[in-house]
Amino acid sequence: MAHSRGRNAGTKLKPDWFEDIAVNRSATERRAATLTTRRTVKKEYQAAWLVKAITCIDLTTLAGDDTAGRVRRLCAKARRPIRDDILEALGLAGENITTGAVCVYPTMVPHAVKALHGSGIPVASVATGFPAGLTPLPQRLAEIHYAVGEGAAEIDIVITREHVLTQNWQALYDEIVQMRQACGDAHLKAILATGDLNTLRNVYRASMVAMQAGADFIKTSTGKEEVNATLAVSLIMLRALRDYGELSGQTVGFKPAGGMKTAKDAMNWLILMKEELGLPWLQPDLFRLGASSMLADIERQLEHYVTGRYAASSRHALA
């Protein structure tokens, strides 16, 4: 699938954009906590927001027991994420509602590409020694080349956390630049693994370095850390993203991932994006939700909206 938005060209490494930044943790957590209590979205407006959330989901399977069959079933759900009767009741029967992408391991990319052929849904692949990212750099770059060669249109790389923890910004920048080059035309999403970075200040700095190195998206987590996406961490990443845009004139996307399971989670991150960046960022070319079980709960909530009844969760199972 061809992306509609241009790439982030990056900049030279500019430590003066981030080294002296200070982050007030209590103020950040207070802002994040009040975001979802100040705004209420109900009835048809909530249904519309949930449909919007579906179009921004990177429908994901990253399990050790993944199979070609599981990936095919996931891709079928990505093509048709809402049951036909629910779509008809919502007045969307003629609309082509799909998820934003399907995200898999590199060896699963060929199966996903085949299953999604003609759908316009891009295949995203994790790479670079996911989730730890501690394999030698040549192997990590080779993994990117492999995934792109198999048809991945997006690559979710993991950064070396040690570079952040030791403040070695040049090493972090150089590493991501090489990964960006290895991606070729595929878009690069930089996973910061924020649960491993210790401080919100480090989250801001790592976000800025990743964007300067050419990341097209910054992403919170692998989903394998003890602490994954949180609203407070996401708020700091969005502030970095906004600052980078003002300083560079370039646009970068955002992807929270890990631990996001419910329709309420989707609503919370949509509200955060709307409040911090505005409506232009509520589009799949700039916003993705890394999730799997979340889609089932969203579909269940939509069924409740159109029927007035909650279905058993097994009626909306994924692959």
Side-chain angles (χ1 to χ4, degrees), residues 32-50:
T34 57
L35 270 171
T36 56
T37 60
R38 292 168 51 231
R39 181 186 292 272
T40 302
V41 184
K42 297 292 187 182
K43 298 183 179 179
E44 67 268 25
Y45 301 103
Q46 184 181 81
W49 277 51
L50 290 177

mmCIF file of all heavy atoms in Angstrom, residues 32-50:
data_model
loop_
_atom_site.group_PDB
_atom_site.id
_atom_site.type_symbol
_atom_site.label_atom_id
_atom_site.label_comp_id
_atom_site.label_asym_id
_atom_site.label_seq_id
_atom_site.Cartn_x
_atom_site.Cartn_y
_atom_site.Cartn_z
ATOM 1 N N ALA A 32 -2.591 13.970 32.380
ATOM 2 C CA ALA A 32 -3.026 12.718 31.759
ATOM 3 C C ALA A 32 -4.273 12.171 32.450
ATOM 4 O O ALA A 32 -5.194 11.662 31.796
ATOM 5 C CB ALA A 32 -1.899 11.692 31.811
ATOM 6 N N ALA A 33 -4.318 12.283 33.776
ATOM 7 C CA ALA A 33 -5.449 11.743 34.533
ATOM 8 C C ALA A 33 -6.727 12.520 34.285
ATOM 9 O O ALA A 33 -7.830 11.948 34.284
ATOM 10 C CB ALA A 33 -5.119 11.730 36.023
ATOM 11 N N THR A 34 -6.616 13.829 34.061
ATOM 12 C CA THR A 34 -7.824 14.650 33.895
ATOM 13 C C THR A 34 -8.322 14.689 32.457
ATOM 14 O O THR A 34 -9.476 15.051 32.225
ATOM 15 C CB THR A 34 -7.566 16.091 34.380
ATOM 16 O OG1 THR A 34 -6.446 16.651 33.645
ATOM 17 C CG2 THR A 34 -7.238 16.118 35.863
ATOM 18 N N LEU A 35 -7.485 14.297 31.510
ATOM 19 C CA LEU A 35 -7.898 14.330 30.104
ATOM 20 C C LEU A 35 -9.170 13.526 29.870
ATOM 21 O O LEU A 35 -10.078 13.959 29.163
ATOM 22 C CB LEU A 35 -6.781 13.761 29.220
ATOM 23 C CG LEU A 35 -5.744 14.736 28.685
ATOM 24 C CD1 LEU A 35 -4.622 13.969 28.021
ATOM 25 C CD2 LEU A 35 -6.382 15.703 27.693
ATOM 26 N N THR A 36 -9.218 12.332 30.458
ATOM 27 C CA THR A 36 -10.336 11.431 30.187
ATOM 28 C C THR A 36 -11.540 11.684 31.083
ATOM 29 O O THR A 36 -12.586 11.053 30.905
ATOM 30 C CB THR A 36 -9.881 9.972 30.360
ATOM 31 O OG1 THR A 36 -9.330 9.798 31.670
ATOM 32 C CG2 THR A 36 -8.809 9.640 29.337
ATOM 33 N N THR A 37 -11.401 12.589 32.050
ATOM 34 C CA THR A 37 -12.544 12.903 32.924
ATOM 35 C C THR A 37 -13.223 14.208 32.520
ATOM 36 O O THR A 37 -14.362 14.455 32.913
ATOM 37 C CB THR A 37 -12.090 12.997 34.391
ATOM 38 O OG1 THR A 37 -11.093 14.038 34.524
ATOM 39 C CG2 THR A 37 -11.488 11.677 34.849
ATOM 40 N N ARG A 38 -12.540 15.012 31.724
ATOM 41 C CA ARG A 38 -13.080 16.306 31.337
ATOM 42 C C ARG A 38 -14.005 16.228 30.135
ATOM 43 O O ARG A 38 -14.780 17.124 29.873
ATOM 44 C CB ARG A 38 -11.933 17.277 31.007
ATOM 45 C CG ARG A 38 -11.103 17.677 32.209
ATOM 46 C CD ARG A 38 -9.828 18.394 31.816
ATOM 47 N NE ARG A 38 -10.092 19.482 30.892
ATOM 48 C CZ ARG A 38 -9.451 19.652 29.743
ATOM 49 N NH1 ARG A 38 -8.535 18.798 29.376
ATOM 50 N NH2 ARG A 38 -9.738 20.665 28.954
ATOM 51 N N ARG A 39 -13.915 15.150 29.387
ATOM 52 C CA ARG A 39 -14.682 15.019 28.152
ATOM 53 C C ARG A 39 -15.434 13.691 28.154
ATOM 54 O O ARG A 39 -14.861 12.650 28.447
ATOM 55 C CB ARG A 39 -13.746 15.096 26.942
ATOM 56 C CG ARG A 39 -14.453 14.992 25.599
ATOM 57 C CD ARG A 39 -13.427 14.937 24.473
ATOM 58 N NE ARG A 39 -12.731 16.200 24.332
ATOM 59 C CZ ARG A 39 -13.174 17.201 23.567
ATOM 60 N NH1 ARG A 39 -14.302 17.092 22.897
ATOM 61 N NH2 ARG A 39 -12.483 18.316 23.464
ATOM 62 N N THR A 40 -16.709 13.717 27.833
ATOM 63 C CA THR A 40 -17.520 12.507 27.744
ATOM 64 C C THR A 40 -18.089 12.397 26.336
ATOM 65 O O THR A 40 -18.664 13.357 25.826
ATOM 66 C CB THR A 40 -18.676 12.526 28.759
ATOM 67 O OG1 THR A 40 -18.137 12.674 30.076
ATOM 68 C CG2 THR A 40 -19.469 11.233 28.698
ATOM 69 N N VAL A 41 -17.900 11.239 25.743
ATOM 70 C CA VAL A 41 -18.410 10.992 24.399
ATOM 71 C C VAL A 41 -19.417 9.857 24.504
ATOM 72 O O VAL A 41 -19.076 8.752 24.926
ATOM 73 C CB VAL A 41 -17.277 10.612 23.430
ATOM 74 C CG1 VAL A 41 -17.817 10.448 22.015
ATOM 75 C CG2 VAL A 41 -16.168 11.665 23.463
ATOM 76 N N LYS A 42 -20.658 10.106 24.131
ATOM 77 C CA LYS A 42 -21.731 9.133 24.325
ATOM 78 C C LYS A 42 -22.478 8.853 23.024
ATOM 79 O O LYS A 42 -22.390 9.584 22.048
ATOM 80 C CB LYS A 42 -22.727 9.648 25.377
ATOM 81 C CG LYS A 42 -22.148 9.834 26.778
ATOM 82 C CD LYS A 42 -21.792 8.499 27.429
ATOM 83 C CE LYS A 42 -21.387 8.688 28.881
ATOM 84 N NZ LYS A 42 -20.999 7.411 29.503
ATOM 85 N N LYS A 43 -23.248 7.772 23.072
ATOM 86 C CA LYS A 43 -24.209 7.387 22.042
ATOM 87 C C LYS A 43 -23.596 7.373 20.647
ATOM 88 O O LYS A 43 -22.569 6.764 20.418
ATOM 89 C CB LYS A 43 -25.437 8.290 22.130
ATOM 90 C CG LYS A 43 -26.158 8.146 23.469
ATOM 91 C CD LYS A 43 -27.412 8.984 23.541
ATOM 92 C CE LYS A 43 -28.105 8.793 24.876
ATOM 93 N NZ LYS A 43 -29.330 9.627 25.001
ATOM 94 N N GLU A 44 -24.236 8.066 19.671
ATOM 95 C CA GLU A 44 -23.776 7.957 18.291
ATOM 96 C C GLU A 44 -22.382 8.546 18.094
ATOM 97 O O GLU A 44 -21.635 8.132 17.213
ATOM 98 C CB GLU A 44 -24.767 8.620 17.319
ATOM 99 C CG GLU A 44 -24.881 10.130 17.444
ATOM 100 C CD GLU A 44 -25.984 10.541 18.409
ATOM 101 O OE1 GLU A 44 -26.318 9.746 19.299
ATOM 102 O OE2 GLU A 44 -26.496 11.668 18.245
ATOM 103 N N TYR A 45 -22.016 9.496 18.956
ATOM 104 C CA TYR A 45 -20.680 10.091 18.854
ATOM 105 C C TYR A 45 -19.625 9.075 19.296
ATOM 106 O O TYR A 45 -18.560 8.950 18.689
ATOM 107 C CB TYR A 45 -20.598 11.360 19.689
ATOM 108 C CG TYR A 45 -21.608 12.395 19.265
ATOM 109 C CD1 TYR A 45 -22.769 12.610 20.006
ATOM 110 C CD2 TYR A 45 -21.422 13.145 18.106
ATOM 111 C CE1 TYR A 45 -23.709 13.548 19.609
ATOM 112 C CE2 TYR A 45 -22.355 14.084 17.697
ATOM 113 C CZ TYR A 45 -23.499 14.280 18.451
ATOM 114 O OH TYR A 45 -24.436 15.200 18.054
ATOM 115 N N GLN A 46 -19.919 8.341 20.358
ATOM 116 C CA GLN A 46 -19.004 7.304 20.807
ATOM 117 C C GLN A 46 -18.875 6.217 19.746
ATOM 118 O O GLN A 46 -17.771 5.740 19.460
ATOM 119 C CB GLN A 46 -19.486 6.694 22.116
ATOM 120 C CG GLN A 46 -18.522 5.659 22.681
ATOM 121 C CD GLN A 46 -19.044 5.046 23.960
ATOM 122 O OE1 GLN A 46 -19.878 4.143 23.924
ATOM 123 N NE2 GLN A 46 -18.560 5.541 25.087
ATOM 124 N N ALA A 47 -19.997 5.823 19.138
ATOM 125 C CA ALA A 47 -19.944 4.810 18.077
ATOM 126 C C ALA A 47 -19.055 5.279 16.933
ATOM 127 O O ALA A 47 -18.248 4.506 16.392
ATOM 128 C CB ALA A 47 -21.358 4.500 17.578
ATOM 129 N N ALA A 48 -19.185 6.544 16.553
ATOM 130 C CA ALA A 48 -18.369 7.085 15.461
ATOM 131 C C ALA A 48 -16.887 7.077 15.835
ATOM 132 O O ALA A 48 -16.026 6.742 15.007
ATOM 133 C CB ALA A 48 -18.828 8.503 15.125
ATOM 134 N N TRP A 49 -16.576 7.444 17.069
ATOM 135 C CA TRP A 49 -15.182 7.442 17.513
ATOM 136 C C TRP A 49 -14.622 6.028 17.532
ATOM 137 O O TRP A 49 -13.455 5.820 17.194
ATOM 138 C CB TRP A 49 -15.077 8.077 18.906
ATOM 139 C CG TRP A 49 -15.018 9.576 18.876
ATOM 140 C CD1 TRP A 49 -15.868 10.415 18.215
ATOM 141 C CD2 TRP A 49 -14.054 10.412 19.527
ATOM 142 N NE1 TRP A 49 -15.496 11.722 18.425
ATOM 143 C CE2 TRP A 49 -14.392 11.752 19.228
ATOM 144 C CE3 TRP A 49 -12.960 10.179 20.349
ATOM 145 C CZ2 TRP A 49 -13.671 12.842 19.715
ATOM 146 C CZ3 TRP A 49 -12.240 11.258 20.840
ATOM 147 C CH2 TRP A 49 -12.589 12.575 20.508
ATOM 148 N N LEU A 50 -15.443 5.053 17.913
ATOM 149 C CA LEU A 50 -14.957 3.675 17.957
ATOM 150 C C LEU A 50 -14.698 3.131 16.557
ATOM 151 O O LEU A 50 -13.743 2.375 16.345
ATOM 152 C CB LEU A 50 -15.949 2.792 18.712
ATOM 153 C CG LEU A 50 -16.029 3.052 20.220
ATOM 154 C CD1 LEU A 50 -17.092 2.173 20.860
ATOM 155 C CD2 LEU A 50 -14.676 2.829 20.900
#
